[in-house]
Amino acid sequence: MSRTLNWIGQALLYGGFAVALGVFSRWPIYHPLASGMAQIKVSFIHHGLRVADCRPYTAEEQARMAPNMRKSMKCGRERSPVSIEVDIDGKLALRHVAPPSGLSHDGASAMYQRIDLPAGEHRIAVRINDNKAVAGFTAQREATVTLVPAQVMVIDFNPDKGGIVLL
Amino acid sequence: MGACGCFLMRLRSASTSIESPGAVSGTGPSFTASLYRVVEHALDKPFGARANPLKQLGAIGFLLLWLLVASGVPLYIMFDTAAEGAYRSIESLDLLPWRLGSILRGLHRYATDAFVCVMGLHILREWMLGRFRHFRKWLWITGVPLVVLAFISAVGGFWLNWDRLGQYSAQTTAEWIDALPLLAMPLARNFLYPASLGDRLFTLFIFIHIGASLFLIFGLWFHIQRISRARVLPEWSLAACLSCTLILLCLVLPVHGQGPADLQIAPAALALDWWILFIHPLTVATSPAIAWGLVLCTLGLLLLLPFLPTRLRSPVAVVNPDNCSGCARCFDDCPYSAITMVPHPDRLDGLHLARVDAAACASCGICTGACPSSTPFRHDTILETGIDMPQAPIDSLRRQLRQGLEEMQDSRRLVVFSCNKGATLLSPATDILHFELICAGMLPPAFVEFAIRAGADGVLVSGCREGGCVFRLGQQWMAGRLVGMREPHLRSSVAQDRWLSVWADPGDEATLQDAIDVLRRRCDARIPVIAKEMMQ
């Protein structure tokens, strides 16, 4: 009798362990995005313009350089931070300034931000400045988009593809 | 202090405690340890003490790892290591005959969940039992990175499916890592467009999953370096039942993909594996910074635990070169690999000498019990053995045993050798001469015969429950020595009805008392016979 009870006890414990594994490996259902919502991902990786303009080396500067290291233009390494603003339906949804990477601030500026918003038609306005010598913005784009639930729209910045990209 | 040891001698209901400074023997279990013992003892009933899963969580973890390797290798062979074909190749497993694909995939998933669960229980057990200090510090510290590696490998495995769950997990992990100011380019950009997800990134996923697993196995090798005879498989019955349970679970609740990943669609409802992927909802519910803080604080706390102030360590075993024959029995029996055999410095005939690594020594005295020189039948006035415990010298035990038996007035004289980590003798009696040992395994079995020859009517040896020895192997070795299965052994000529062994943890005091009563009844049955023999 005792042995039978032990077998039953073991079976219950193994079963309980299996149930715990099986249940919590799939339940409760997780909703990363609420029903009826869509998503905008704002991201770019872009080199801001150089802070200082390039200028020709003077004759004295050229003379101080080794002959094989001589070049015509002297350019500062530091680049401008890249700032971005995104309006959704006329309201400011995102404002971010991405500093240049690198110890000498000579690398690309990068950012990534996820925005959840209700699906449907929206007026999107994106403004970017990659030159701190310029007041205001160096690139702008406005568009009306219609997002279906769970759709992901990407806002990127790529001067080779016409500047601000909405995909 | 002289020859006094930590044997707690109780004679004629008068208790005498003789302990050396710094000895930890005799300290009771903490509240958390008592609490854990209640749960562990409850599982002793259905499983038996030997096959109790809570006593071999580390071995179960190894079993699950072997199941993961066994199911992972064929999965990898059939896996298309490209972003385009990964999901399709995993889903095509369902086409394998006899539901082999479901079993392989399910076993890989559920064994991972079980591994994480068992790993958590293993950490909880060692913490509750206070097993993370002193000689266990190395074991504890080397275990902490394994937790990280286990989670990296487990989470990375979900990405390889490249279904919506894998997509969500990979994206969320990338966003979480991006919260650290380490990378110039956000990792999450890799998941912006379908075109940005290249096969090279998928190769990185594979490297993370398999690489972390390999590091985990390598780390486990370090983790068990300081324990001898580490179990890498649990009891066969437990291993078989657990494997069958997991396979049955694969058939009843098969694991399926949650639709192919699509970076232009955000997953809205996911059957999340909460055992492993709980970190994602935690990050979303709080913030990446808070989630990092929680993870780093938890790991920091785990690493800090062994360094918190604690009581002094007990003195470690000391080798006496003049009495060490180099037989290596202490080396064989040491549960923590604290003993190595080195060439004897004074002998040129190839003799070896035991050397104790003080940092690894558990001060359990099992080596003393294993040493052939510990036999009390030696004629020396002072019993000097090859390896001894300064706080409980074997000579002190012999001297007190002789003296105690001589002073006993009761017609029935019982000797109880009990482990002070096991059940406590609650009701001392005039017919009991009681010695508390650091571990049952420190008793040279010849002491049973010695006590009987010195006038004891019966001898009881008591220690922790099977599989529950605080020093891992003390109970196992002692049980083997008593029945002649392990050296040094109790001679078979010692009458079986004159001695008894009982394995009882704290809380099992009634079991210990019952064993004493059994021994009393045996003695009472014998005493008239002896008296009759003497009259003749």
Side-chain angles (χ1 to χ4, degrees):
Chain A
M1 183 63 183
S2 169
R3 194 177 172 131
T4 311
L5 284 176
N6 286 346
W7 280 109
I8 293 171
Q10 281 193 35
L12 286 175
L13 287 164
Y14 280 120
F17 185 55
V19 167
L21 289 182
V23 167
F24 292 114
S25 69
R26 65 194 71 221
W27 181 87
I29 296 293
Y30 178 60
H31 298 276
L33 192 66
S35 173
M37 297 291 281
Q39 211 165 64
I40 291 179
K41 290 181 178 175
V42 184
S43 179
F44 61 78
I45 177 162
H46 173 65
H47 284 86
L49 295 183
R50 293 182 195 279
V51 170
D53 289 335
C54 296
R55 65 167 176 82
Y57 277 107
T58 62
E60 290 78 20
E61 285 172 329
Q62 292 274 20
R64 280 201 296 272
M65 286 190 283
N68 63 319
M69 297 294 284
R70 285 174 190 159
K71 49 190 175 182
S72 57
M73 302 294 284
K74 178 178 183 179
C75 297
R77 293 178 66 178
E78 187 179 349
R79 291 179 178 272
S80 279
V82 179
S83 57
I84 183 169
E85 287 182 4
V86 178
D87 290 349
I88 298 175
D89 300 326
K91 290 181 183 168
L92 183 68
L94 171 72
R95 175 182 286 151
H96 183 80
V97 179
S101 59
L103 293 173
S104 304
H105 306 293
D106 57 346
S109 300
M111 70 90 61
Y112 174 91
Q113 182 77 48
R114 190 160 38 83
I115 302 168
D116 294 349
L117 74 171
E121 192 174 277
H122 296 283
R123 185 72 183 163
I124 310 281
V126 185
R127 299 177 291 276
I128 284 181
N129 182 331
D130 62 352
N131 184 356
K132 73 177 184 183
V134 175
F137 295 93
T138 53
Q140 298 191 45
R141 181 165 176 189
E142 265 192 69
T144 301
V145 296
T146 303
L147 301 173
V148 298
Q151 183 182 341
V152 178
M153 193 187 82
V154 177
I155 297 176
D156 202 348
F157 182 61
N158 188 341
D160 296 338
K161 291 183 179 174
I164 296 168
V165 179
L166 303 182
L167 277 176
Chain B
M1 165 76 197
C4 292
C6 80
F7 308 112
L8 178 69
M9 189 177 75
R10 290 198 174 96
L11 185 61
R12 296 187 196 96
S13 301
S15 298
T16 310
S17 176
I18 310 163
E19 289 196 17
S20 60
V24 294
S25 55
T27 52
S30 67
F31 171 72
T32 52
S34 305
L35 192 67
Y36 187 82
R37 290 285 184 213
V38 170
V39 181
E40 196 175 81
H41 289 174
L43 262 67
D44 268 353
K45 285 173 189 161
F47 288 94
R50 180 189 285 268
N52 185 338
L54 289 184
K55 289 179 178 173
Q56 35 196 323
L57 290 166
I60 294 174
F62 268 104
L63 167 75
L64 294 167
L65 194 62
W66 306 142
L67 288 177
L68 284 167
V69 172
S71 56
V73 169
L75 282 176
Y76 183 65
I77 290 169
M78 289 178 273
F79 182 66
D80 184 346
T81 56
E84 282 294 312
Y87 179 79
R88 208 169 41 245
S89 68
I90 293 286
E91 288 305 302
S92 68
L93 289 169
D94 289 340
L95 304 175
L96 289 179
W98 307 311
R99 300 183 69 181
L100 272 176
S102 285
I103 291 173
L104 278 176
R105 190 176 179 187
L107 196 59
H108 206 63
R109 165 75 82 84
Y110 291 130
T112 310
D113 292 340
F115 184 87
V116 168
C117 176
V118 166
M119 183 173 67
L121 286 174
H122 183 55
I123 296 169
L124 186 69
R125 178 181 195 260
E126 302 307 302
W127 172 74
M128 288 184 84
L129 295 177
R131 297 180 180 176
F132 49 82
R133 298 189 179 100
H134 302 318
F135 58 95
R136 293 191 178 97
K137 188 161 48 177
W138 170 259
L139 286 165
W140 181 269
I141 290 172
T142 53
V144 176
L146 302 184
V147 179
V148 180
L149 288 170
F151 271 100
I152 290 174
S153 175
V155 173
F158 283 92
W159 307 343
L160 293 181
N161 288 332
W162 206 233
D163 60 352
R164 283 179 192 160
L165 180 61
Q167 171 193 342
Y168 173 74
S169 178
Q171 283 178 330
T172 315
T173 305
E175 290 172 7
W176 191 45
I177 293 171
D178 287 339
L180 296 173
L182 297 175
L183 303 171
M185 192 194 99
L187 281 177
R189 275 189 65 84
N190 287 300
F191 308 105
L192 273 190
Y193 314 107
S196 60
L197 186 79
D199 292 345
R200 283 180 64 190
L201 187 68
F202 235 75
T203 307
L204 179 68
F205 288 175
I206 293 165
F207 175 77
I208 288 171
H209 182 57
I210 297 178
S213 306
L214 291 175
F215 277 116
L216 176 67
I217 293 172
F218 188 55
L220 277 167
W221 179 73
F222 274 99
H223 187 52
I224 59 172
Q225 272 302 294
R226 282 205 176 174
I227 53 173
S228 60
R229 298 165 194 268
R231 296 188 68 175
V232 292
L233 274 179
E235 280 292 312
W236 74 268
S237 58
L238 188 59
C241 289
L242 193 59
S243 305
C244 290
T245 302
L246 290 178
I247 291 172
L248 204 61
L249 182 60
C250 301
L251 296 172
V252 174
L253 282 177
V255 175
H256 294 298
Q258 300 187 32
D262 183 348
L263 294 174
Q264 292 174 315
I265 296 173
L270 293 170
L272 201 74
D273 190 323
W274 292 88
W275 291 105
I276 296 161
L277 300 178
F278 62 87
I279 191 73
H280 300 326
L282 179 71
T283 309
V284 173
T286 55
S287 74
I290 290 175
W292 273 117
L294 284 172
V295 168
L296 294 177
C297 282
T298 306
L299 292 173
L301 193 65
L302 286 174
L303 285 171
L304 199 65
L305 266 180
F307 299 99
L308 294 179
T310 182
R311 60 183 181 235
L312 288 173
R313 279 193 71 172
S314 295
V316 299
V318 175
V319 176
N320 182 340
D322 294 336
N323 287 279
C324 177
S325 66
C327 68
R329 282 185 188 164
C330 54
F331 168 80
D332 284 340
D333 282 8
C334 178
Y336 294 97
S337 300
I339 295 173
T340 45
M341 302 307 295
V342 295
H344 200 292
D346 305 327
R347 301 278 292 267
L348 300 174
D349 52 0
L351 198 74
H352 280 73
L353 179 72
R355 185 170 66 188
V356 177
D357 176 357
C361 178
S363 310
C364 61
I366 290 175
C367 48
T368 306
C371 183
S373 303
S374 296
T375 176
F377 291 110
R378 289 170 65 192
H379 294 296
D380 304 350
T381 312
I382 295 176
L383 178 59
E384 287 186 273
T385 184
I387 186 164
D388 210 350
M389 302 308 296
Q391 69 273 44
I394 206 71
D395 176 65
S396 175
L397 178 62
R398 184 175 74 166
R399 195 166 36 75
Q400 292 187 42
L401 178 62
R402 269 184 184 150
Q403 184 187 341
L405 283 169
E406 282 169 11
E407 291 176 4
M408 281 182 95
Q409 302 295 321
D410 206 283
S411 59
R412 181 177 54 208
R413 293 184 288 183
L414 304 180
V415 174
V416 175
F417 296 109
S418 74
C419 164
N420 71 6
K421 308 292 186 298
T424 311
L425 185 64
L426 292 178
S427 52
T430 55
D431 62 343
I432 295 177
L433 181 61
H434 180 210
F435 294 93
E436 277 192 356
L437 308 170
I438 304 170
C439 172
M442 81 165 288
L443 182 73
F447 264 84
V448 175
E449 184 177 358
F450 183 80
I452 292 168
R453 288 206 200 176
D457 297 304
V459 178
L460 180 75
V461 180
S462 159
C464 303
R465 281 194 194 189
E466 200 174 3
C469 176
V470 172
F471 299 110
R472 296 184 62 239
L473 302 171
Q475 182 275 334
Q476 189 184 339
W477 289 167
M478 194 61 211
R481 290 170 190 165
L482 288 174
V483 297
M485 302 287 286
R486 190 168 187 85
E487 296 298 337
H489 67 270
L490 177 65
R491 292 201 300 181
S492 57
S493 57
V494 179
Q496 295 283 318
D497 59 345
R498 300 288 292 276
W499 65 271
L500 199 61
S501 62
V502 61
W503 310 118
D505 276 349
D508 296 334
E509 279 70 25
T511 308
L512 180 59
Q513 195 56 49
D514 287 349
I516 291 171
D517 290 341
V518 167
L519 202 59
R520 278 192 180 121
R521 283 197 294 275
R522 282 190 191 174
C523 291
D524 290 346
R526 278 183 51 82
I527 286 169
V529 177
I530 294 168
K532 197 175 167 184
E533 284 169 357
M534 287 174 72
M535 282 176 71
Q536 288 171 349

